[in-house]
Amino acid sequence: MQNYSSVALNKNFLKFGARLRDSSQTSSSMSSFNGAFTFPSLLAYQITAQGLQQGLTPVEIRAAGGGASQFLIVAGTPLLQVHYLDFEPYVEDDWKARPNLTVSAGLRFETQDHIHDHADFAPRIGLAWAWEKGNRPKWFCVPAPGSSTTASVRA
């Protein structure tokens, strides 16, 4: 469930909202629960299959060049269930300080029930500045600290 809202107030543009996510995942795998044999070659497998059909003992099959080189059996619970709950409210304000300058500041809070630290605050700050060169405005944006966005100039 999520809600993102915004309100224009004089020189400010206020954005706020939150997301509440309840997620469950289930996975099941029965792979190798009955066991798996590994043979050193196709010939070793064929000798083993023929020896078993003929009623030979494992010792006789190995003496003839057959037999598996490895046996693997998986045990345990084949079902895995994961459930988590997270919540992320935020508030951000874009303040038009001048006709060509906007200052942005905000705060996001994130928490999840399976993380030991339940108070993760993430502040946001940014600037947008336009100046005239001829008849074409140029925009300069400063990314928020910790953001993967790079500063850019657009003509």
Side-chain angles (χ1 to χ4, degrees):
M1 178 172 64
Q2 60 190 21
N3 179 32
Y4 302 117
S5 302
S6 58
V7 177
L9 303 167
N10 200 7
K11 291 185 173 187
N12 296 67
F13 189 71
L14 185 64
K15 295 177 269 188
F16 56 93
R19 176 178 74 174
L20 176 64
R21 181 172 49 182
D22 185 10
S23 182
S24 294
Q25 294 181 350
T26 301
S27 179
S28 179
S29 175
M30 296 294 291
S31 179
S32 299
F33 263 74
N34 289 328
F37 291 94
T38 303
F39 292 88
S41 66
L42 180 58
L43 180 60
Y45 170 75
Q46 290 170 335
I47 292 169
T48 303
Q50 290 171 358
L52 290 172
Q53 286 177 351
Q54 296 169 3
L56 298 178
T57 66
V59 173
E60 293 171 323
I61 293 172
R62 281 193 296 278
S69 59
Q70 181 179 354
F71 175 69
L72 169 72
I73 189 163
V74 174
T77 305
L79 179 66
L80 173 67
Q81 293 179 321
V82 177
H83 176 262
Y84 67 90
L85 181 69
D86 62 27
F87 178 60
E88 296 94 20
Y90 79 96
V91 62
E92 184 176 336
D93 184 25
D94 292 335
W95 172 53
K96 194 124 178 122
R98 303 178 77 184
N100 65 341
L101 177 65
T102 301
V103 179
S104 298
L107 183 65
R108 176 176 294 274
F109 175 79
E110 298 177 351
T111 187
Q112 187 183 104
D113 62 346
H114 289 296
I115 296 177
H116 70 280
D117 177 9
H118 290 287
D120 296 319
F121 289 94
R124 306 280 194 248
I125 189 167
L127 295 172
W129 176 37
W131 71 90
E132 292 289 330
K133 182 178 181 184
N135 291 327
R136 297 177 61 187
K138 292 197 170 216
W139 297 93
F140 177 72
C141 297
V142 177
S147 172
S148 62
T149 306
T150 58
S152 61
V153 174
R154 182 180 60 133

